[in-house]
Amino acid sequence: MDKREFARRRKRLMDMVDHGGIAIQPTAPERVRNRDVYYPFRADSDFHYLTGFPEPEAVMVLVPDRPQGEFLLFCREKDPEAETWHGRRAGLEGACELYGADDAFPISDLDDILPGLLENKTRIYYTMGRYQDFDQRLVGWLNRVTSKGRAGVHAPDQFHSLAHHLHEMRLYKSKEEIKTMRRAAQISAAAHQHAMEICKPGLYEYQIEAELVHQFMRKGSRAPAYPSIVGGGANTCILHYHENNEALRDGDLLLIDAGCEYDHYASDITRTFPVNGRFTPEQKAVYEIVLQAQLAAIDKVRPGNHWNDPHMAALEVITRGLVDIGLLKGRWKTLMKDEAFRPYYMHRTGHWLGMDVHDVGDYKIGDEWRLLEPGMVTTVEPGLYLSPSIKGLPKRWWNIGVRIEDDVLVTANGNEVLSHGAPKTVAEIESHMQLASAA
Ligand code: GLY
Ligand code: MN
Ligand code: MN
């Protein structure tokens, strides 16, 4: 992402924080996986959004109108020996030259410097409750400033949620962000298509997962945006199935919910297809209901509609469909009101998508679902899960779990399906899989 993009974001935030305010945002802590092995580090999304700084142990401070510089970065100093063991560091100079900080300080000096920055400010913008250790340090710094009251020093006495301001910004994607998210979705869509091409009975779910990750990484993604769900047969009915360790069987469906993270932006795609390349009549009937529900929901993703409109459109198609195939009995309107679909469809139809897979941004303003506006990105992901645990479900419907998920950008006139490249209709999937197996 262009350095100017980060600068634009800081400027916008700085305009809100304004004179007399100070914004503080640490990056994420490193997390132990086991003993002395750490999980791969990923920056805090809010911190990255404002700085682009990729290293751990860093804190951003914005002080509008500070004469010596407004954008301060605390980070690790250069250390040739540590860098030989653990990798390069930008150091203080790099923080300024590469990341545009006006002033950079060693992270080890945070306790000495930060209280001074708080002196005589009136408002702190900070996200409480995300990193408890840091919360406590901030309280300690404030107490130090408060204790100087008799010397005529004022401590800030207004707390504002930094997350509230930032997340509203993050909800509306810029041109640069949309470009990145389009790329993320393209990479993931191609990986889903590849999975259809190589799938056959006898493969293990993790072998398909390996192919997905390979496709992500060979195109520049460094990790999936969330643990990939690769479930065949009965596992299609477990929403967040993650064991991915069973063999795929002839005649079963395979549900894959997987998306790459590309340059810190998530994609989130689900496709469901037959392991052997041909839907059974029951699988096809269920698939068609979910597909029609998804298309009806996508059609509702346009400016001026409410956040909940796509969900309601999907629920109607799903309820009518369950009546059509005989799994629900009665009038669809009554059934919808009574939420008769719940045993078969128990999640919502989408969520915001961005740097986090379940991205930030309010879904309601006051008591009202918010209106969709250009630049917002949502997933659209209805499903049906016909588990044998549903009372009275005839056996021929057992273990048919279908979810279809795309990433959809709200545009000025309607929407753009960012993940459109992955085959989706029954005809597309079957012809694609058969062509691949004949090759
Ligand atoms: N992959 C998580 C979700 O679809 O919400
Ligand atoms: Mn999703
Ligand atoms: Mn998903």
Side-chain angles (χ1 to χ4, degrees):
M1 186 110 2
D2 195 312
K3 260 166 72 171
R4 284 169 300 185
E5 173 89 1
F6 295 106
R8 275 196 293 273
R9 296 169 182 173
R10 286 193 300 272
K11 169 86 176 74
R12 279 192 60 198
L13 182 65
M14 215 108 70
D15 287 345
M16 290 185 225
V17 170
D18 209 2
H19 190 76
I22 177 169
I24 303 169
Q25 178 63 56
T27 195
E30 292 187 278
R31 306 221 186 252
V32 173
R33 180 175 184 275
N34 59 305
R35 200 164 157 81
D36 59 351
V37 177
Y38 286 77
Y39 283 105
F41 177 73
R42 184 190 184 276
D44 175 273
S45 294
D46 286 342
F47 176 86
H48 178 84
Y49 183 78
L50 293 169
T51 65
F53 192 73
E55 295 177 24
E57 296 187 76
V59 176
M60 179 215 75
V61 181
L62 296 181
V63 193
D65 299 331
R66 179 173 174 268
Q68 311 91 312
E70 301 179 312
F71 168 30
L72 283 59
L73 206 47
F74 291 82
C75 63
R76 302 177 305 190
E77 291 177 275
K78 285 201 79 67
D79 177 341
E81 192 186 335
E83 289 179 59
T84 300
W85 282 89
H86 303 297
R88 296 187 184 89
R89 299 175 173 188
L92 307 185
E93 259 174 46
C96 296
E97 274 167 26
L98 304 174
Y99 297 95
D102 297 318
D103 231 345
F105 302 101
I107 187 74
S108 52
D109 289 353
L110 194 61
D111 284 323
D112 295 330
I113 296 175
L114 211 90
L117 295 170
L118 296 175
E119 285 183 10
N120 298 322
K121 295 282 171 292
T122 51
R123 300 178 309 284
I124 296 188
Y125 292 76
Y126 174 72
T127 303
M128 249 324 156
R130 191 179 303 163
Y131 304 118
Q132 286 179 4
D133 289 352
F134 201 89
D135 292 353
Q136 282 180 5
R137 288 178 77 185
L138 180 60
V139 171
W141 298 324
L142 269 171
N143 284 339
R144 271 169 59 191
V145 182
T146 308
S147 71
K148 287 182 160 181
R150 267 169 292 166
V153 173
H154 293 290
D157 59 1
Q158 291 178 37
F159 282 84
H160 294 256
S161 162
L162 179 58
H164 173 76
H165 292 270
L166 265 184
H167 295 178
E168 201 56 25
M169 283 170 63
R170 279 177 54 189
L171 178 58
Y172 298 86
K173 274 68 181 176
S174 68
K175 268 199 197 123
E176 284 258 357
E177 289 179 292
I178 290 166
K179 229 165 68 189
T180 307
M181 291 189 72
R182 200 178 276 128
R183 180 71 188 136
Q186 272 169 359
I187 293 172
S188 299
H192 278 264
Q193 180 166 328
H194 177 76
M196 290 176 195
E197 287 165 6
I198 54 128
C199 184
K200 57 180 189 209
L203 281 181
Y204 279 80
E205 292 162 345
Y206 55 73
Q207 291 177 308
I208 303 278
E209 181 185 6
E211 294 280 342
L212 293 162
V213 174
H214 178 68
Q215 293 298 318
F216 294 167
M217 291 191 75
R218 64 191 286 273
K219 293 181 184 158
S221 156
R222 305 308 308 271
Y226 54 91
S228 305
I229 296 166
V230 183
N235 301 331
T236 59
C237 295
I238 302 171
L239 300 184
H240 288 165
Y241 174 72
H242 59 263
E243 286 90 346
N244 298 356
N245 61 2
E246 291 191 20
L248 298 172
R249 293 197 322 225
D250 204 349
D252 279 352
L253 286 177
L254 171 61
L255 184 154
I256 299 178
D257 183 345
C260 71
E261 181 177 279
Y262 183 77
D263 196 7
H264 290 83
Y265 285 82
S267 52
D268 183 5
I269 302 180
T270 307
R271 288 292 183 269
T272 310
F273 55 89
V275 169
N276 65 13
R278 270 203 195 284
F279 287 87
T280 66
E282 286 80 8
Q283 289 168 352
K284 184 172 168 188
V286 176
Y287 191 91
E288 290 291 2
I289 297 170
V290 178
L291 179 60
Q292 292 315 313
Q294 203 229 15
L295 295 175
I298 291 175
D299 191 50
K300 295 285 182 191
V301 179
R302 41 187 143 91
N305 276 356
H306 285 101
W307 157 258
N308 206 38
D309 289 342
H311 183 54
M312 294 313 287
L315 286 183
E316 178 179 331
V317 176
I318 277 181
T319 308
R320 284 169 175 268
L322 287 170
V323 173
D324 288 345
I325 62 174
L327 293 181
L328 289 181
K329 293 193 177 24
R331 291 181 49 227
W332 71 267
K333 275 193 179 162
T334 317
L335 292 165
M336 225 174 116
K337 196 156 67 47
D338 296 343
E339 301 196 340
F341 51 81
R342 271 210 175 272
Y344 310 91
Y345 180 40
M346 60 299 280
H347 58 82
R348 293 192 59 86
T349 303
H351 50 81
W352 302 132
L353 185 71
M355 297 181 73
D356 297 313
V357 62
H358 294 160
D359 206 35
V360 296
D362 290 335
Y363 292 96
K364 277 190 169 179
I365 306 284
D367 289 337
E368 294 282 324
W369 295 111
R370 86 183 296 157
L371 294 177
L372 297 173
E373 295 177 62
M376 296 174 173
V377 181
T378 178
T379 65
V380 179
E381 51 176 306
L384 276 171
Y385 309 94
L386 307 188
S387 158
S389 65
I390 298 173
K391 234 170 91 194
L393 181 70
K395 197 163 181 183
R396 69 188 182 106
W397 298 107
W398 283 10
N399 299 323
I400 297 179
V402 175
R403 178 162 66 254
I404 308 173
E405 176 173 28
D406 280 301
D407 304 341
V408 185
L409 165 73
V410 184
T411 61
N413 307 314
N415 66 61
E416 175 188 339
V417 179
L418 303 176
S419 49
H420 64 85
K424 190 158 77 168
T425 65
V426 166
E428 277 167 6
I429 290 173
E430 288 192 338
S431 71
H432 195 80
M433 290 184 76
Q434 274 142 36
L435 272 177
S437 71

